[in-house]
Amino acid sequence: MDTQKLIEQLNDNDMQVRLNALAEIKKLTDEGVLPAVPDTLYVNNHIHTTYSFSPYSPTKALYMAWQAGLKTAGIMDHDSVSGIKEFIEAGKIIGMPVTCGFECRVGMKNTRLNGKKINNPDQESVAYVAIHGIPHQYVDMLDEFLAPYRAKRNERNKKMCANITKLVEPYGLSLDFEKDVMPLSKCNEGGSITERHVLYGLAKKVTEKYKTPAEVVDFFKNEMKIEISPKVEAQILNGDKTPDFYEYDILGALKSNMVEKIYIDADEECPDVREYIALAKKCHGISAYAYLGDVGDSVTGDKKAQKFEDDYLDLLFEELVDLGFDAVTYMPTRNTEAQLRRIMGLCDKYNLFQISGVDINSPRQEFICRELDNPLYSHLVDATYALIGAENAATANEDESMFCDAIKAKYPDVRDRIEYFKNKV
């Protein structure tokens, strides 16, 4: 079988076909038939898959990480843990240490952050959070917890599709949730459907009607009156030459400009933050707040310049500690050095674990975070190995999780816990 066919099978609908293709690619690589992968020190703990929104199955995501030269990789889907078991198996095939988690939104109305724009561009009093380092025996329990929240989210998704149809009907377009959006997801396998799925469905409708990149840009700018940054406009206009990116670039333009026009506030699909903290403790995972920070030029092209947590960081961290958070996760690719120095300083002050990653959900994004070359962020590599070591330890014995009472009593300083767990990979 030719290599290109094997690579295509990494995104096959059948998980076993995906894993078998990866095993064959690994075999051919070991035999020298395929080129060796780069040898780097990079790590990434925040890779989305087709079980939320991504062009990559869990197997394809591991393949892409491996081919990029990553030493470790972490799965991080929205409202879903359904890709975790495949991700673990793919990691075993290529011999890469992996870490598992999920991302969700929580309600902050019953905290001192009520009424604030936290780290959610679309809604106040709601925060993006993650559970990292999930012991593998808890995956099924977490899926049961998340399933009703996904169902509630889909009720809102359907209403947002109706809102989109009202906006685009004058141009001969429509968007049906069941026919146009659901098939773009893995919802029938426990995957989630996000706003990106909804707008990706619209992007496909647009490209069906407007056959050239120039027609698409003309439709957005002159009919729908959508403002597109020069960078994103150039990417869309180059769509004939970059077909793998084309509809994702259109999605980026839509997400940056249309969400506020069709968005419906999330409510029932967001557990209260204290319920989320209790869940993290129950599964012996690591609760992590996802720092966004004030946005200037969005890395992915789908976030407008706007302010988030930076004006009230002291209050934010006080509340995170009071609520019982274990960690803060952040992306060096997305923030300035000045922003991250503040975050790292506050994490040290409050003894919070620091986790990094690059939010992969588009084919344009690199899997590696070159900012990790900066000695300022070298501790994040050690933290990744500690995260994996702690996940492995807690999978074998829950009394060995990084934030269980016994380990915290033995190693009160989180830096000592990192030293202890990083050698358990």
Side-chain angles (χ1 to χ4, degrees):
M1 183 179 294
D2 65 74
T3 304
Q4 187 56 41
K5 183 66 174 178
L6 286 171
I7 292 172
E8 290 173 2
Q9 288 184 345
L10 297 173
N11 265 349
D12 192 89
N13 286 329
D14 187 316
M15 180 180 71
Q16 197 55 55
V17 171
R18 301 194 292 262
L19 291 170
N20 289 345
L22 183 64
E24 182 63 20
I25 291 171
K26 177 64 164 65
K27 176 176 175 288
L28 293 173
T29 303
D30 290 345
E31 292 172 349
V33 176
L34 295 177
V37 300
D39 185 16
T40 80
L41 298 176
Y42 294 116
V43 298
N44 189 355
N45 301 311
H46 203 111
I47 300 170
H48 295 294
T49 78
T50 47
Y51 286 89
S52 51
F53 187 83
S54 170
Y56 311 119
S57 72
T59 299
K60 180 71 178 287
L62 252 295
Y63 167 81
M64 296 293 290
W66 176 49
Q67 292 294 305
L70 289 186
K71 291 296 187 187
T72 73
I75 187 171
M76 183 58 58
D77 281 320
H78 289 275
D79 299 337
S80 177
V81 292
S82 296
I84 284 179
K85 293 178 182 179
E86 178 183 347
F87 199 79
I88 292 168
E89 288 306 308
K92 290 176 182 177
I93 288 170
I94 60 174
M96 180 185 288
V98 301
T99 178
C100 304
F102 73 89
E103 187 174 3
C104 67
R105 293 161 302 171
V106 295
M108 303 291 275
K109 291 180 180 178
N110 298 315
T111 75
R112 288 180 288 170
L113 304 180
N114 182 42
K116 292 186 178 294
K117 180 170 282 188
I118 308 172
N119 60 0
N120 186 336
D122 306 315
Q123 187 174 344
E124 295 177 349
S125 308
V126 170
Y128 280 98
V129 295
I131 296 182
H132 278 274
I134 296 170
H136 304 167
Q137 63 269 31
Y138 282 97
V139 171
D140 291 339
M141 180 272 279
L142 290 169
D143 182 55
E144 290 178 10
F145 175 87
L146 291 168
Y149 291 107
R150 290 195 297 268
K152 288 293 184 183
R153 183 169 194 164
N154 285 341
E155 292 176 13
R156 188 173 63 91
N157 284 330
K158 189 171 185 177
K159 293 175 182 176
M160 287 194 292
C161 286
N163 285 350
I164 286 176
T165 295
K166 289 177 185 178
L167 282 176
V168 299
E169 267 183 334
Y171 313 107
L173 295 170
S174 64
L175 191 69
D176 183 272
F177 180 66
E178 283 84 3
K179 291 192 298 184
D180 301 325
V181 178
M182 289 179 69
L184 302 175
S185 76
K186 291 282 187 183
C187 63
N188 60 330
E189 299 176 28
S192 64
I193 300 178
T194 70
E195 285 83 4
R196 279 190 169 89
H197 287 95
V198 171
L199 293 174
Y200 192 56
L202 178 59
K204 286 185 171 293
K205 283 301 196 78
V206 169
T207 57
E208 284 175 12
K209 182 172 182 179
Y210 299 95
K211 301 302 183 183
T212 69
E215 288 178 291
V216 170
V217 170
D218 180 71
F219 168 65
F220 284 161
K221 294 176 69 175
N222 298 319
E223 294 191 58
M224 291 198 70
K225 308 299 182 185
I226 289 177
E227 293 184 13
I228 307 175
S229 72
K231 174 183 174 182
V232 174
E233 180 176 340
Q235 289 173 340
I236 294 174
L237 287 173
N238 202 42
D240 289 338
K241 298 177 182 177
T242 56
D244 291 344
F245 300 160
Y246 183 45
E247 289 178 334
Y248 288 89
D249 292 334
I250 295 171
L251 163 64
L254 291 171
K255 190 170 186 297
S256 182
N257 290 278
M258 278 195 69
V259 172
E260 68 264 23
K261 298 174 184 176
I262 58 98
Y263 188 79
I264 297 170
D265 279 354
D267 185 11
E268 291 181 300
E269 71 203 60
C270 301
D272 182 82
V273 62
R274 290 176 178 83
E275 183 182 8
Y276 149 83
I277 292 290
L279 178 70
K281 293 185 183 303
K282 182 178 180 180
C283 74
H284 300 274
I286 297 170
S287 56
Y289 172 81
Y291 171 70
L292 179 58
D294 297 351
V295 173
D297 182 25
S298 171
V299 174
T300 53
D302 62 6
K303 293 182 179 68
K304 290 184 176 180
Q306 54 186 311
K307 296 184 71 63
F308 292 97
E309 316 103 314
D310 287 349
D311 286 345
Y312 59 91
L313 276 184
D314 289 331
L315 172 63
L316 171 68
F317 272 77
E318 288 171 8
E319 196 69 358
L320 295 179
V321 172
D322 287 348
L323 288 166
F325 275 83
D326 301 317
V328 172
T329 177
Y330 52 85
M331 301 182 188
T333 55
R334 193 167 58 189
N335 301 109
T336 66
E337 182 176 315
Q339 284 178 308
L340 293 182
R341 282 187 181 276
R342 285 186 71 195
I343 291 300
M344 293 186 292
L346 286 164
C347 285
D348 289 341
K349 176 181 177 181
Y350 290 105
N351 201 33
L352 291 168
F353 186 40
Q354 298 176 46
I355 304 171
S356 74
V358 177
D359 190 355
I360 301 293
N361 52 39
S362 162
R364 278 200 179 275
Q365 292 172 274
E366 275 196 294
F367 273 69
I368 59 176
C369 174
R370 298 187 187 279
E371 281 74 8
L372 292 178
D373 292 333
N374 186 339
L376 181 64
Y377 308 124
S378 61
H379 64 289
L380 296 172
V381 175
D382 281 348
T384 292
Y385 284 102
L387 173 63
I388 296 171
E391 181 177 322
N392 292 343
T395 297
N397 179 2
E398 293 169 1
D399 293 331
E400 277 278 298
S401 62
M402 184 180 282
F403 289 90
C404 73
D405 291 340
I407 293 294
K408 288 198 294 185
K410 189 173 182 179
Y411 303 104
D413 191 318
V414 73
R415 289 169 295 190
D416 293 332
R417 263 173 273 160
I418 290 170
E419 287 299 312
Y420 174 72
F421 281 111
K422 75 178 186 180
N423 297 314
K424 290 185 172 289
V425 176

